[in-house]
């Protein structure tokens, strides 16, 4: 039997430990050194009069608020200071401008018709249906523009009898829903499409910083949606910001100008102009939890937004830039001490210690084990030790946490000195981490006295630019027994016995690991648990050769179903299952004989094979052959072309319709499967969605029709496709969008 392991892993358990200059990552559940934002800016923080906002559509066109207007810019243009279009108040906004000279692929600025400057726009957002919503504070209204036709399709006034007069500020979109934060009075509106705005209750935090509460000195200015959680940014006249979400304590974030949600679902808070650190917060069940910041050098306070590629962009005096991971300064030294681990027996000699950790260059790990046989009344209650802000983790039933070490066993950080070394494999037999997992297994054998209870202390050291990460720590609840096989003279002195015991642990560990792998060798025969390099060997048991072009999960599932597929080999169900395992979607296989009733529509009537006269010899789809004469005899007599008979056109033939696009490799794999697994006397044709369908010819209701989104083609946008390629200009949406087009690559129609 294997030796039992006791240990700590995961966010819920690590947060119950004591931390000194260490922190738990609430997302990964790993422990590292605590950090602070290394803001190397010049310290110049200037509060702008108002933030105008920034938004991006799915074609990476930027819409930025400026004084009295909204500018639209296509990112990637090398000419500084060029606005490709200006969106103003009139209904007829822009006609396409002339192409600039010199072969430039952009368009010159276009002049709006009946232009009237916007009155203090303070927010912009793009919805999922390509509508640009502008928050115009001066006229207390919202403008909704269709980005395809470039027309204002709706104006929502907030000073009508149906709505109390209020100033719209920040706007956010979640799908087709638009949220608007308002002031004077403070409020929250939501509307969708052409529906009327609905007043929603403002999020109520569980507590607010003293002495100022919400409302009062604070007023809502920005809003964003993180997952399904609505987050508002309240501000003072001085620019100080406060994050507010329902049921969570409000969080002061310092001088702030804008709010956004990144691709990971975290809330990003922009500083005032001159700051360069974009703060990021995870919105958990009970609080905001700080995450690694982003660097926004040169930020001018104009606004931040999420691009279609998942990056946070921000405004500068020179144009737009993409934020990058901020520079963090980690603590140089720290420690974490686990709660009490119980072996169940007094006088236990604890065994080897295992850690799953990541050690970047310049970082180290040391560990020690504290033991005791006493039910120490002075042990620290774990509930009292859990910090008020448990670093992104909410422990389940914290009152059940075992106690922390008593003060008499406490070790200063420099005394945690047990070394660890990298292991060639995990201590769990036949288990290996995922390919993208940075964790490595380490092993140590720190000296410790015998005792039923144990606490593990881990010391982390770094160079302030990197931190070690610890994912899990485990310890054997019993040590090896090799010392019992040696004469007592070798263990007469305690120091000699301790050294020899730890020295023999290296050899015992190798033998024990080999023994455990041998006891669990049946895992090699399970396709779900066998190592990847053993799959070919496992496939040879059933006479199968695996194709390395198949995904790993598909190869494992193919081996699991090999016996069943062999029993059904050559059948429609087996062939369909083979392709489904590889493609991830079930193909549609149509045997041509099922279409034999459509012979009249296939040109056979002219060959004498169809008699579709109502009242005389009428058959649905046409009669096969003539009365008193078999089709085979008619073909042998030369009455018709043998290659055009329904039997030669339909018998033993089938079509495989794959409801997705295939690249060259996937197409080759599918054809190889069809060649090997179909009956040898049959013929097939392979069709994918890019081949198109014709009603009555290749699309038949109930056989080959698939209900869903249209054939996978996106409407072509000038600038994203080239004339002459596979793009199709238009696509059914109203109007043609013409900015940054390059002639020569899309066909129209």
């Amino acid at each position: 039997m294997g030796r039992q392991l006791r240990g700590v892993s995961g966010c819920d358990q690590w947060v119950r430990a004591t931390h000194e200059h260490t922190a738990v990552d609430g997302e990964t559940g790993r422990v590292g050194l605590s950090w602070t934002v290394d803001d190397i800016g010049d310290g110049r923080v200037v509060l702008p009069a108002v933030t105008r906002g920034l938004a991006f559509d799915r074609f990476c066109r930027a819409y930025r608020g400026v004084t009295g207007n909204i500018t639209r810019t296509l990112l990637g243009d090398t000419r500084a200071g060029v606005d490709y279009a200006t969106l103003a108040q009139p209904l007829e906004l822009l006609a396409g401008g002339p192409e600039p000279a010199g072969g430039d692929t952009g368009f010159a600025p276009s002049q709006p018709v009946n232009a009237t400057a916007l009155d203090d726009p303070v927010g912009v957002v793009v919805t999922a249906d390509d509508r640009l919503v502008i928050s115009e504070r001066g006229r207390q209204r919202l403008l909704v523009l269709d980005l395809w036709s470039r027309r204002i399709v709706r104006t929502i006034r907030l000073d009508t009898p149906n709505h109390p007069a209020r100033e719209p500020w920040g706007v956010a979109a979640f799908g087709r829903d638009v949220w608007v934060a308002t002031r004077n009075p403070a409020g929250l509106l939501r509307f969708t499409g052409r529906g009327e705005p609905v007043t929603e209750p403002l999020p109520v935090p569980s507590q607010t910083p003293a002495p100022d509460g919400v409302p009062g000195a604070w007023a809502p200015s920005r809003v964003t949606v993180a997952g399904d959680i609505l987050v508002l940014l309240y501000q003072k006249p001085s620019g100080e910001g406060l994050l507010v979400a329902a049921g969570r304590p409000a969080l002061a974030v310092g001088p702030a100008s804008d709010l956004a949600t990144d691709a990971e679902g975290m809330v990003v808070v922009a500083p005032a102009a001159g700051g360069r650190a974009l703060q990021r917060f995870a919105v958990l069940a009970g609080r905001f939890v700080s995450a690694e910041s982003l660097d926004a050098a040169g930020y001018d306070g104009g606004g931040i937004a999420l691009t279609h590629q998942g990056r946070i962009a921000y405004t500068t005096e020179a144009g737009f830039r993409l934020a990058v991971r901020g520079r963090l300064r980690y603590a140089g030294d720290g420690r974490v001490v686990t709660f009490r681990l119980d072996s169940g027996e007094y006088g236990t000699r604890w065994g080897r210690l295992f850690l799953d950790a990541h050690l970047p260059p310049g970082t180290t790990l040391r560990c020690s084990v504290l033991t005791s046989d006493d039910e120490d009344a002075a042990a620290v209650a774990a509930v009292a030790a859990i910090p008020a802000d448990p670093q992104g983790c909410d422990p389940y039933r914290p009152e059940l946490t075992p106690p922390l070490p008593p003060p008499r066993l406490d070790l200063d950080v420099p005394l945690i000195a047990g070394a660890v070394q990298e292991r060639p494999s995990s201590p769990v037999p036949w288990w290996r981490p995922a390919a993208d997992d940075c964790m490595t297994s380490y092993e140590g054998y720190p000296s410790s006295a015998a005792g039923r209870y144990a606490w593990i202390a881990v010391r982390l050291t770094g160079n302030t630019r990197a931190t070690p990460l610890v994912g899990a720590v485990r310890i054997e609840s019993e040590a090896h027994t090799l010392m019992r096989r040696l004469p007592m003279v070798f263990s007469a002195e305690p120091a000699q016995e301790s050294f020899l015991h730890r020295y023999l642990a290296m050899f015992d560990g190798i033998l024990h690991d080999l023994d455990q792998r041998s006891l669990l060798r049946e895992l090699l025969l399970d396709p779900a648990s066998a190592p990847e390099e053993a799959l070919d060997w496992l496939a040879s048991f059933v006479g199968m050769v695996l194709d390395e072009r198949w995904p790993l999960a598909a190869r494992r599932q193919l081996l699991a179903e090999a016996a069943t597929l062999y029993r059904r080999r050559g059948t429609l169900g087996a062939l369909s299952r083979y392709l489904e395992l590889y493609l991830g979607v079930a193909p549609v296989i149509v045997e041509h004989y099922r279409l034999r009733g459509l012979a009249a529509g296939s040109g056979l009537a002219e060959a004498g094979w169809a008699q579709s006269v109502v009242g005389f010899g009428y058959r649905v789809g046409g009669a096969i052959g003539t009365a008193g004469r078999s089709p085979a005899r008619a073909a042998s007599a030369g009455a018709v072309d043998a290659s055009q008979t329904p039997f030669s056109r339909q018998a033993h033939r089938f079509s495989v319709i794959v409801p997705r696009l295939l690249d060259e490799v996937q197409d080759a794999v599918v054809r190889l499967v069809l060649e090997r697994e179909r009956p040898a006397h049959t013929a097939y044709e392979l069709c994918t969605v890019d081949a198109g369908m014709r009603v009555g010819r290749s699309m038949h209701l109930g056989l080959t029709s698939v209900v869903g989104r249209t054939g996978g083609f996106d409407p072509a946008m000038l600038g994203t496709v080239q004339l002459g390629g596979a793009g199709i200009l238009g696509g059914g949406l109203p109007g043609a969008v013409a900015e940054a087009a390059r002639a020569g690559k899309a066909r129209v129609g």
Side-chain angles (χ1 to χ4, degrees), residues 4 75 82 91 111 253 261-262 309 357 468 493 543 563 617 627:
Q4 294 185 356
L75 295 189
V82 174
L91 297 179
Q111 297 299 325
V253 293
T261 302
D262 66 10
Q309 289 76 20
E493 296 183 5

Side-chain angles (χ1 to χ4, degrees), residues 32-316:
L33 292 169
S34 57
W35 50 267
T36 57
V37 177
D38 188 8
D39 190 346
I40 59 175
D42 57 9
R44 179 181 60 91
V45 177
V46 180
L47 296 176
V50 67
T51 299
R52 301 295 177 183
L54 177 68
F56 289 85
D57 63 14
R58 57 195 177 105
F59 297 102
C60 213
R61 294 173 300 185
Y63 300 87
R64 178 183 182 182
V66 295
T67 302
N69 224 322
I70 303 293
T71 62
R72 177 171 59 183
T73 305
L74 179 66
L75 295 189
D77 179 61
T78 59
R79 299 176 301 163
V82 174
D83 291 330
Y84 282 89
T86 301
L87 300 178
Q89 183 186 4
L91 297 179
E92 292 288 339
L93 286 179
L94 297 176
E99 185 174 353
D104 198 331
T105 57
F107 285 91
S110 301
Q111 297 299 325
V113 180
N114 300 325
T116 301
L118 298 175
D119 189 358
D120 200 9
V122 291
V124 291
V125 72
V126 177
T127 66
D129 53 357
D130 293 329
R131 300 292 174 89
L132 177 69
V133 181
I134 302 174
S135 172
E136 191 178 7
R137 184 180 66 166
R139 295 190 176 93
Q140 298 183 351
R141 65 180 183 176
L142 301 169
L143 300 179
V144 182
L145 295 89
D146 178 38
L147 297 181
W148 289 86
S149 62
R150 291 184 290 177
R151 296 172 181 268
I152 297 178
V153 297
R154 188 179 183 193
T155 300
I156 303 175
R157 302 195 63 86
L158 303 183
D159 56 354
T160 63
N162 296 331
H163 302 284
R166 60 183 69 182
E167 298 177 353
W169 278 70
V171 289
F174 184 69
R176 290 180 171 84
D177 289 341
V178 178
W179 299 83
V180 185
T182 65
R183 289 186 178 182
N184 301 322
L188 185 65
L189 299 178
R190 178 180 61 86
F191 68 91
T192 302
R194 295 189 176 276
E196 286 296 319
V198 178
T199 300
E200 298 285 348
L202 286 168
V204 178
S206 59
Q207 63 184 30
T208 57
D212 296 321
V214 178
W218 305 89
S221 61
R222 297 289 157 183
V223 60
T224 189
V225 182
D228 57 350
I229 302 171
L230 201 65
V231 181
L232 273 77
L233 174 66
Y234 282 74
Q235 285 184 297
K236 286 182 178 181
S238 62
E240 294 292 320
L242 189 71
L243 282 186
V244 174
R248 297 160 179 83
L251 179 67
V253 293
S257 60
D258 203 0
L259 197 64
T261 302
D262 66 10
E264 300 178 14
M266 294 191 179
V267 175
V268 182
V269 181
R276 64 180 298 165
L278 304 182
Q279 302 179 72
R280 297 169 69 237
F281 301 94
V283 188
L284 301 184
R287 63 187 54 83
F288 293 100
V289 176
S290 177
E292 293 184 7
S293 63
L294 300 176
D295 192 315
Y299 177 61
D300 63 0
I304 61 174
L306 180 68
T307 68
H308 187 57
Q309 289 76 20
R311 300 282 300 276
I312 291 292
Y314 63 95
T315 61
T316 68

Side-chain angles (χ1 to χ4, degrees), residues 500-562:
L500 188 58
H501 182 87
R502 289 182 285 113
Y503 180 77
L504 293 177
M506 296 186 295
F507 306 100
D508 175 78
I510 295 174
L511 297 176
H512 179 75
D513 292 345
L514 291 176
D515 182 60
Q516 292 303 301
R517 290 167 69 91
S518 177
L519 291 175
L520 298 175
R521 58 184 178 272
E522 71 273 6
L523 296 177
L524 296 176
L525 302 179
D526 188 346
S529 58
E532 181 179 358
E533 56 269 20
L535 293 181
D536 291 334
W537 167 76
L538 189 58
S540 66
F541 288 10
V542 291
M544 178 180 290
V545 178
L546 296 179
D547 192 336
E548 293 185 355
R549 294 174 295 182
W550 283 50
L552 177 60
R555 279 182 279 162
R556 294 186 184 275
Q557 189 62 30
L558 178 62
L559 283 176
E561 301 182 21

Side-chain angles (χ1 to χ4, degrees), residues 592-601 619-622 624 650:
H592 288 189
Y593 81 90
R594 300 176 66 183
L595 308 178
R596 61 189 180 276
L598 306 177
R619 295 169 184 254
V620 176
I624 300 179
Q650 299 171 356

Side-chain angles (χ1 to χ4, degrees), residues 406-427:
R408 65 180 179 83
L409 294 179
D410 194 18
L411 285 178
D412 293 332
V413 174
L415 298 179
I416 304 174
V420 295
Q421 61 181 0
E422 185 176 345
R423 286 177 51 90
S425 61
S426 169

Side-chain angles (χ1 to χ4, degrees), residues 11 24-30 264 266 280 284 291 391-393:
C11 190
V24 183
D25 188 328
E27 183 177 0
T28 63
R30 297 168 180 167
E264 300 178 14
M266 294 191 179
R280 297 169 69 237
L284 301 184
Q391 302 159 326
C393 306

Side-chain angles (χ1 to χ4, degrees), residues 727-741:
I728 299 178
L729 185 61
L733 289 177
V737 178
E739 59 264 345

